[in-house]
Amino acid sequence: MSMTEQQGIAAIQAVAQNHGQAAEELPNLIALLEHLFPKSRLVHFLFTWENLAFSAAVLALIIFTALRAARKKSFIPKGLQNVWELVVEVLEGFVTGILGPRGAEHVPYLGTLFVYILLANWLGMIPLMKSPTSAWSTTIALALMTTVYIQWVGIKEHGFFNYVKHLAGNPIGILGLALVPLMLIINLSIEFLAVPLSLSLRLFANISSEDKLLYKFAELNVLYKGLPFFFQLFANVLVIIFSFVQAFVFLLLSTVYISLILPHDHEESHDAARENSLGPIHEPSTKEH
Amino acid sequence: MEFFQENIHLSEVFVQLLAFLIVFLTLKKFAWKPLLAIIKSRRERFESEWSGIEKTKQDVAALQKDYLAHLQKIDEEARAKMQEAIREGRRLGREIQEKARLESQASFEKAKTSLELEIQKARLAMRLEIAGISIQVAEKILNEKMNDAEQEKKALEILGELEKKL
């Protein structure tokens, strides 16, 4: 191993270890700045709130482009308006395909969630950037937000009494009433623990693994010239695809959870909408819970 | 538990939640609603224009049917009129032909009559002439004593003159 290679690896490891982790993630801009200016308060503040800084960048990008696109309102869309209308139309078709025509009211939440997660996942592909979704704090926040949204939809659709009844397992008879405490514990655990944990851990684990994969290939590129570069190209393609898949899975599961909390009279319209939708949509399974 | 403490920072989770909530509410009001409204209005416009096009198509088809029926009617009328004209033409042709034949026959008859009259006139005039000449010949014969040969010669001269005159 030459001197330059050793220096490269050492630099990467030093920046990563400054970050308080083992050397398993490519250094980002803020980590580099912290390495270069260890006494700067601003840099240290950014370094402490690193994930939030990158999240804010993604959110700012989404707000800026979406508001610009929405302001144009031209009949024949161009540029940003065209891109955003495409996103909105595809998401609307997907969500209403599962939830039925009334699912359109959930498109803003689910759409914002999907676009944010997708861009946050892809951000890690850009050199000196980092995926905010590779931190559990980010994904648990999104999962908790989704859980709150789902329960709020449940209360709004059923009414508070029926919502509690639903959580208690819709008890009928003495046996049903006797099982209420057990059903409450089970349903509350599922709704407020299992759902956010499964949603957040899946996304966090996948995206942080992607970051580790990219780091390992970058390390191999420093150690060995040639072949690892092609492996890294392949890994980049995989990361692009898996990032999209993870964002899509989060969207799909959130939509399915909403469909499960909706009243049953939605099922008829849901079936009709599914017949009209372009692609086959999987039946929301209760096994998800 | 250490794993949770290492990876989940409550302050960060709270700020992330708040940031996402603010972005969601902002986008819902200022981006998603206008974009969905634009798409909906465009879809409605397309649908109304499509239905308009369908209606126009139906109108055009009905008009085409009417025009075809009208054209067929005109064609039939034209054909009937043409046949009528042909019949009329043939009738007129026959009439003209008949008239011409009658006229030509009449003029022929007239010419024939006038020719016969002329012939009769000529015969009469010739008779008169012959009579006059005969008288003149007789006078000359009587006035001139001629031998037989001279008489014969004279008679031939007179006959020659007569032939010339005729």
Side-chain angles (χ1 to χ4, degrees):
Chain A
M1 195 187 301
S2 70
M3 194 65 187
T4 322
E5 288 162 357
Q6 284 176 348
Q7 282 173 347
I9 293 168
I12 292 171
Q13 284 174 343
V15 171
Q17 276 162 1
N18 268 354
H19 195 214
Q21 296 174 347
E24 289 180 343
E25 190 176 279
L26 283 170
N28 58 62
L29 183 67
I30 296 172
L32 272 175
L33 285 174
E34 171 70 8
H35 183 67
L36 292 172
F37 310 104
K39 289 178 184 173
S40 168
R41 278 188 171 185
L42 177 68
V43 173
H44 187 71
F45 174 79
L46 284 174
F47 185 67
T48 311
W49 297 93
E50 187 186 65
N51 287 317
L52 282 174
F54 287 106
S55 288
V58 174
L59 291 172
L61 178 75
I62 292 170
I63 284 191
F64 176 72
T65 54
L67 293 185
R68 274 197 73 179
R71 201 184 301 156
K72 287 185 181 175
K73 294 179 184 176
S74 60
F75 183 72
I76 300 168
K78 282 179 186 173
L80 273 178
Q81 191 192 351
N82 203 6
V83 173
W84 267 96
E85 281 194 15
L86 176 74
V87 172
V88 172
E89 211 163 353
V90 169
L91 286 170
E92 190 196 12
F94 176 77
V95 172
T96 52
I98 295 175
L99 299 178
R102 278 192 67 197
E105 66 186 270
H106 304 296
V107 170
Y109 178 76
L110 294 168
T112 309
L113 192 70
F114 174 76
V115 173
Y116 172 62
I117 293 173
L118 183 66
L119 292 183
N121 291 351
W122 279 345
L123 192 69
M125 299 282 300
I126 302 168
L128 298 179
M129 292 288 152
K130 187 196 173 188
S131 298
T133 42
S134 66
W136 200 4
S137 297
T138 310
T139 60
I140 194 86
L142 295 173
L144 284 173
M145 187 75 206
T146 305
T147 304
V148 170
Y149 183 83
I150 291 164
Q151 302 314 315
W152 174 72
V153 170
I155 294 168
K156 200 177 77 169
E157 293 289 332
H158 292 279
F160 186 73
F161 178 73
N162 284 330
Y163 168 75
V164 174
K165 201 176 151 190
H166 167 76
L167 284 179
N170 294 316
I172 300 167
I174 297 168
L175 186 66
L177 285 169
L179 287 172
V180 163
L182 182 65
M183 293 304 290
L184 267 177
I185 290 167
I186 292 171
N187 278 332
L188 285 172
S189 306
I190 288 169
E191 299 288 350
F192 293 99
L193 202 66
V195 167
L197 274 179
S198 69
L199 278 176
S200 62
L201 266 175
R202 186 186 298 108
L203 185 60
F204 157 65
N206 275 286
I207 304 304
S208 58
S209 304
E210 285 173 7
D211 283 0
K212 285 183 179 74
L213 183 77
L214 286 178
Y215 169 76
K216 286 294 173 193
F217 277 112
E219 198 179 44
L220 278 175
N221 264 321
V222 177
L223 289 170
Y224 310 103
K225 299 283 185 289
L227 197 59
F229 174 71
F230 296 101
F231 287 149
Q232 192 173 10
L233 275 182
F234 179 65
N236 281 339
V237 175
L238 282 184
V239 168
I240 291 171
I241 295 167
F242 289 151
S243 296
F244 178 81
V245 169
Q246 285 311 313
F248 181 73
V249 166
F250 205 103
L251 167 74
L252 178 69
L253 289 175
S254 304
T255 314
V256 169
Y257 293 143
I258 291 171
S259 81
L260 290 172
I261 202 88
L262 287 174
H264 293 296
D265 60 342
H266 279 250
E267 281 175 9
E268 286 170 17
S269 53
H270 159 96
D271 289 341
R274 191 165 14 142
E275 278 168 19
N276 293 332
S277 68
L278 291 174
I281 305 295
H282 294 295
E283 187 71 36
S285 168
T286 49
K287 285 177 187 173
E288 292 291 341
H289 271 199
Chain B
M1 207 62 189
E2 271 184 33
F3 179 74
F4 285 98
Q5 282 174 347
E6 271 179 22
N7 287 289
I8 298 176
H9 307 287
L10 285 176
S11 54
E12 203 173 306
V13 172
F14 178 73
V15 179
Q16 288 274 18
L17 261 171
L18 197 67
F20 184 78
L21 187 68
I22 291 166
V23 170
F24 160 59
L25 293 174
T26 311
L27 287 185
K28 187 181 177 185
K29 188 169 173 63
F30 298 109
W32 288 98
K33 274 187 182 172
L35 284 168
L36 283 166
I38 291 167
I39 291 168
K40 192 181 171 191
S41 69
R42 189 181 294 127
R43 204 174 283 156
E44 283 169 358
R45 188 170 160 184
F46 280 145
E47 276 168 10
S48 72
E49 286 191 3
W50 270 116
S51 60
I53 288 166
E54 285 300 318
K55 194 177 173 298
T56 312
K57 267 186 184 175
Q58 285 171 358
D59 291 349
V60 167
L63 273 175
Q64 194 180 10
K65 200 177 167 184
D66 286 352
Y67 277 123
L68 282 174
H70 195 61
L71 278 174
Q72 199 175 354
K73 195 179 166 188
I74 289 169
D75 200 31
E76 282 170 5
E77 281 177 4
R79 199 177 294 129
K81 279 184 181 174
M82 202 179 284
Q83 282 175 352
E84 181 67 25
I86 289 167
R87 277 199 298 273
E88 185 66 19
R90 279 179 184 162
R91 189 183 62 77
L92 281 171
R94 276 198 299 274
E95 277 180 13
I96 290 164
Q97 206 174 3
E98 186 64 22
K99 196 178 170 187
R101 195 179 63 78
L102 288 172
E103 279 177 359
S104 68
Q105 198 170 357
S107 61
F108 177 74
E109 290 294 328
K110 196 178 170 185
K112 195 178 169 184
T113 311
S114 65
L115 196 65
E116 280 175 356
L117 276 171
E118 287 298 318
I119 290 168
Q120 281 176 358
K121 269 185 183 172
R123 277 180 183 165
L124 189 63
M126 199 170 70
R127 268 186 208 149
L128 289 170
E129 189 79 17
I130 290 168
I133 289 164
S134 302
I135 292 164
Q136 281 177 355
V137 169
E139 278 177 350
K140 278 183 179 178
I141 292 167
L142 290 172
N143 287 337
E144 290 179 17
K145 288 179 181 172
M146 287 180 289
N147 56 22
D148 292 339
E150 283 175 339
Q151 282 179 358
E152 193 178 333
K153 191 182 171 186
K154 197 67 179 180
L156 287 170
E157 280 176 9
I158 292 162
L159 286 170
E161 282 175 9
L162 274 172
E163 279 176 358
K164 281 177 186 173
K165 281 178 183 177
L166 288 173

